[in-house]
Amino acid sequence: MQGKINFNAGPAALPPEVLHDAAKAIRKYKNTGLSILELPHRGKEFLEILEESKSLVKKLCNLNDDFEVLWLHGGGRLQFCMVPMNFIGKDPAGYIESGYWAADAIGYARQYGDVQVLASAKDSNYDRLPDWPAKLPKHLSYIHITTNNTIFGTQWHDIPDTTLPLIADMSSDIFSHKLDYNKFSLFYAAAQKNLGTAGVALACIRKDFLAKASGNMPGMLSYKEQVKENSILNTANVFGIYVSLLMLRWIKEKGISTIEKENKKKAQMIYDALDKSSIFTPHVKVKEHRSQMNICFTAKKAQDEKAFLALCESHDITGIQGHRSVGGFRASVYNAVSLEAVEQLVHLMKVYETKNS
């Protein structure tokens, strides 16, 4: 029986092939006689998983041996802590405040050092990207950006150039389109959107930037120590990393170019319907700033919001409620969400519009 159509922002939809292989591995992983859930985290089978996953990350991101690849616990918020703990030095860190999670990262960073907000879209309720600063301070430990704003629906489609170390939270749009990952000194992603399931985070760090990291902290919070111990300083999230490996294989097989083409088409279908609607309105009015991962919109009348959500649920469409902090709607169309799923959502929007206009 077909399951529900899943537009959740995270944990998000996974491809059927990934779910199938993950379920099979829970019963028995290869010829080990063990479930993947029982696999020793220092055994050769898991080390093979770890090395293949790192190799695929480098291949998909076109990274050479200048980068280290880590799988870490704690999701995105732990990275909000680890980044400033490791890299804020005598110079302040610069942050671009483009949305909820960017603001959250700023709040965490301020607990560990001096932070300058270089640009912000807060005053416009994050309905657009902030303007990139025309002139940056000469001395910053790093600049931090959030490439996609899941809650309000903006996205940096082109990453500005800078000679300063650039760090990116790519939790919600990694591997969704072609990108020069070599622009970054460090980029990271919580896995539960385009890269697997919750409980693991990917971090890629340029070696010359890693050399600047502080060594005066507990090993669990030190990028240097995590690299030294090959991401298994303590018991690794074996299953989470394995699901990420399955996702990486799926992405490689499908191809980033194909994924990008589909993502553009999916997003455009929904935005076209919103721009023509008399009932729904997109949150982001600047079209060039609109996210291709999270399409955020509202109903002009409160009664339409409840009624449309109920209609979606009755048609097995789930996960389109907006974030609890803003309400409205959010269709998260990550890599694993099919064109057919988006077509069904758009069809239902048009059906509702016809009956209620």
Side-chain angles (χ1 to χ4, degrees), residues 239-307:
F239 182 65
I241 296 170
Y242 178 65
V243 176
S244 290
L245 172 59
L246 295 177
M247 279 298 299
L248 291 164
R249 289 173 179 170
W250 181 84
I251 292 165
K252 179 176 179 288
E253 178 70 21
K254 192 161 188 175
I256 296 287
S257 294
T258 299
I259 288 171
E260 179 178 33
K261 184 178 178 181
E262 287 187 2
N263 285 338
K264 286 181 177 179
K265 186 174 182 179
K266 290 184 296 186
Q268 195 59 52
M269 287 167 61
I270 300 176
Y271 284 124
D272 283 348
L274 291 172
D275 287 336
K276 296 172 183 175
S277 176
S278 61
I279 290 179
F280 305 109
T281 182
H283 180 73
V284 179
K285 304 300 189 295
V286 182
K287 292 184 179 182
E288 294 79 12
H289 295 178
R290 288 175 173 175
S291 172
Q292 292 175 4
M293 295 285 94
N294 308 95
I295 292 90
C296 301
F297 57 104
T298 57
K300 296 176 183 178
K301 297 178 182 178
Q303 64 265 31
D304 287 323
E305 183 172 324
K306 291 182 180 179

Side-chain angles (χ1 to χ4, degrees), residues 107-182:
Y108 276 87
R110 281 178 168 152
Q111 299 182 53
Y112 303 105
D114 187 12
V115 170
Q116 292 184 15
V117 178
L118 304 174
S120 175
K122 184 177 181 180
D123 288 346
S124 65
N125 198 27
Y126 305 117
D127 69 348
R128 68 200 65 200
L129 291 172
D131 292 330
W132 190 261
K135 188 175 182 180
L136 291 166
K138 292 182 179 180
H139 302 291
L140 291 174
S141 297
Y142 59 83
I143 298 174
H144 181 283
I145 66 169
T146 305
T147 53
N148 184 72
N149 177 4
T150 59
I151 292 176
F152 296 93
T154 57
Q155 184 179 15
W156 295 94
H157 298 293
D158 297 304
I159 306 300
D161 292 319
T162 176
T163 57
L164 293 163
L166 185 61
I167 296 177
D169 175 0
M170 302 197 69
S171 294
S172 52
D173 66 347
I174 195 168
F175 302 129
S176 67
H177 61 114
K178 289 178 285 187
L179 181 67
D180 182 4
Y181 290 90
N182 288 281

Side-chain angles (χ1 to χ4, degrees), residues 197-233:
T197 189
V200 65
L202 170 71
C204 299
I205 313 172
R206 191 179 292 277
K207 289 178 181 178
D208 57 0
F209 187 60
L210 178 65
K212 300 177 182 178
S214 171
N216 186 26
M217 65 186 66
M220 281 296 295
L221 300 171
S222 166
Y223 288 116
K224 286 181 176 178
E225 286 300 311
Q226 291 286 359
V227 166
K228 180 181 176 183
E229 297 298 330
N230 194 28
S231 300
I232 46 176
L233 192 151

Side-chain angles (χ1 to χ4, degrees), residues 297-347:
F297 57 104
T298 57
K300 296 176 183 178
K301 297 178 182 178
Q303 64 265 31
D304 287 323
E305 183 172 324
K306 291 182 180 179
F308 184 65
L309 285 172
L311 181 64
C312 286
E313 286 293 339
S314 71
H315 285 76
D316 287 332
I317 292 176
T318 191
I320 67 160
Q321 302 93 329
H323 189 268
R324 62 186 180 276
S325 66
V326 297
F329 305 98
R330 171 174 54 176
S332 297
V333 288
Y334 299 124
N335 293 352
V337 176
S338 68
L339 282 166
E340 292 75 18
V342 172
E343 287 169 351
Q344 291 190 51
L345 174 62
V346 171
H347 171 71

